[in-house]
Amino acid sequence: MYDVIIIGSGPAGLTAAIYAERAKLSALVIEKEYISGGQVVNTYEVDNYPGLPGIGGVELGMKFREHAEKMGAVFATETVEHITIEDTVKKVVTDQQTYEARSLIIATGAVHRKLEVPGEEELAGMGVSYCATCDGAFFKGRTVAVIGGGDVAVEDAIFLARICEKVYLIHRRDSLRAAKMLQEKLFSCENVELVWDAAVEEICGEDQVESIRIKKLKNGEKAYLPVDGVFIAVGIVPNTKEFCNNLEMNEGGYLVAGEDCAMKTPGIYAAGDVRTKKLRQIITAAADGAVAAAGVEEYLNSL
Ligand code: NAP
């Protein structure tokens, strides 16, 4: 029986592990994939983590992981299938075994949202991608489109502009949601063309992406843009649906918890992007990890 099981090894989970080790709690981190860091590892360059300006996403993820390991954190690479709660005993059933703990920190983060247009699924991996840093190199010297207007879409377009001949950024409105500094960088990229007020209706191609059909939302005009790749960055959905069914979620599937990360069920904490919160950043996820671990310590002392 562990004091705490931490599910997820992004910035929230790894920070929770560091704090749990400092508090001398017996802790287990369960991660789906060995590559820790969560969405951070898909980021080319992180420009807003204090003290480490411009650090690569993979490097930052690895630093978090090394830090947690150095503190003594124990990891299991397994997929959580469901959780059962019997008063103070929380059971975590994975694809390999069942673990028990007196408390849980759920830090499973979020994954990319699908655009849900014809061609997206059929051409996934054949020109359709959700990760510019992973797949960008395949499109060296070619033309690609990035869909979305948030931080991820703009970061992706800036990254791809260094590799590709031409990048279209297609956004459904006439202003971007991304941080202003990123917008400035984007606007200075000469090979990026912004396509405002446009929706992608279809991704076309036989065995490979060949074009996208867009609709201009102000006048209904339709057009085909010839592209070799499509990078979809239209937001995130929380990683909860599969195993959190007995926990309180909002309509978007985020786990309901306040700034203390405590869920309604005693001994269960939600940390990072998976939690209902206003600002989803690496730093706020890491902060949640610390807060949740402190909450666990307090909860265990009260038993
Ligand atoms: P996001 O901020 O939610 O932006 C999603 C974008 O996609 C929005 O511009 C949205 O348009 C558009 N969109 C949503 N659904 C769409 C659809 N069906 N069709 C077309 N466009 C659609 O998501 P994100 O960029 O993935 O970022 C996720 C979170 O991570 C955010 O909180 C972000 O701030 C954070 N993040 C932080 C950093 C950093 O701090 N360095 C880096 C990356 C991400 P509207 O604008 O019209 O809603």
Side-chain angles (χ1 to χ4, degrees):
M1 167 88 71
Y2 289 95
D3 287 330
V4 59
I5 288 179
I6 298 159
I7 308 174
S9 64
L14 292 172
T15 307
I18 291 167
Y19 276 74
E21 291 300 325
R22 284 181 88 223
K24 295 285 167 204
L25 303 177
S26 62
L28 173 72
V29 182
I30 303 179
E31 56 182 1
K32 213 171 178 174
E33 286 163 39
Y34 180 76
I35 304 169
S36 295
Q39 296 166 87
V40 177
V41 299
N42 296 334
T43 309
Y44 174 66
E45 190 179 284
V46 178
D47 65 0
N48 56 354
Y49 196 79
L52 299 170
I55 189 166
V58 174
E59 193 187 346
L60 185 58
M62 276 170 61
K63 274 184 186 291
F64 286 148
R65 167 84 184 213
E66 282 162 16
H67 191 167
E69 277 177 350
K70 203 170 152 197
M71 298 293 281
V74 177
F75 292 83
T77 307
E78 293 170 29
T79 302
V80 174
E81 289 180 341
H82 64 266
I83 293 167
T84 56
I85 301 146
E86 288 156 21
D87 196 15
T88 55
V89 179
K90 283 86 185 169
K91 284 190 183 161
V92 179
V93 180
T94 74
D95 54 348
Q96 292 177 36
Q97 53 197 302
T98 300
Y99 297 99
E100 286 185 356
R102 294 193 291 156
S103 66
L104 287 183
I105 296 175
I106 302 171
T108 45
V111 288
H112 55 255
R113 177 184 287 132
K114 296 249 165 84
L115 191 58
E116 288 175 7
V117 295
E120 179 179 17
E121 217 160 308
E122 296 83 340
L123 294 166
M126 291 179 285
V128 172
S129 169
Y130 301 86
C131 177
T133 50
C134 319
D135 301 328
F138 298 122
F139 298 90
K140 191 167 178 223
R142 308 180 78 179
T143 298
V144 298
V146 177
I147 324 297
D151 285 335
V152 172
V154 172
E155 279 179 353
D156 284 359
I158 295 167
F159 172 74
L160 290 164
R162 295 181 187 135
I163 302 170
C164 302
E165 185 172 281
K166 170 140 192 153
V167 178
Y168 291 104
L169 180 78
I170 299 164
H171 185 36
R172 62 185 179 184
R173 294 189 288 126
D174 62 0
S175 65
L176 298 167
R177 182 182 289 276
K180 292 284 181 294
M181 205 168 113
L182 287 175
Q183 294 193 29
E184 270 177 23
K185 263 195 202 170
L186 177 81
F187 298 148
S188 71
C189 296
E190 282 173 7
N191 57 343
V192 174
E193 183 177 330
L194 286 123
V195 183
W196 300 110
D197 301 305
V200 174
E201 290 192 324
E202 188 181 356
I203 302 171
C204 315
E206 277 294 314
D207 302 323
Q208 198 68 35
V209 169
E210 290 163 18
S211 65
I212 49 175
R213 180 161 51 90
I214 59 163
K215 181 181 171 185
K216 294 292 271 175
L217 296 170
K218 287 208 166 143
N219 57 16
E221 255 176 36
K222 299 194 181 199
Y224 284 90
L225 287 182
V227 293
D228 304 300
V230 181
F231 289 85
I232 297 170
V234 294
I236 53 173
V237 283
N239 263 328
T240 47
K241 294 238 158 65
E242 299 144 14
F243 60 88
C244 293
N245 288 342
N246 44 2
L247 296 173
E248 197 189 355
M249 284 184 240
N250 72 3
E251 68 287 347
Y254 289 93
L255 294 179
V256 177
E259 288 303 309
D260 61 359
C261 297
M263 296 198 66
K264 247 188 197 158
T265 313
I268 303 206
Y269 296 79
D273 280 4
V274 77
R275 171 172 85 81
T276 45
K277 57 157 60 187
K278 212 166 171 186
L279 188 63
R280 292 195 171 83
Q281 305 280 299
I282 304 167
I283 189 76
T284 59
D288 273 11
V291 171
V296 161
E297 204 181 350
E298 216 174 286
Y299 167 75
L300 295 175
N301 286 339
S302 74
L303 290 180

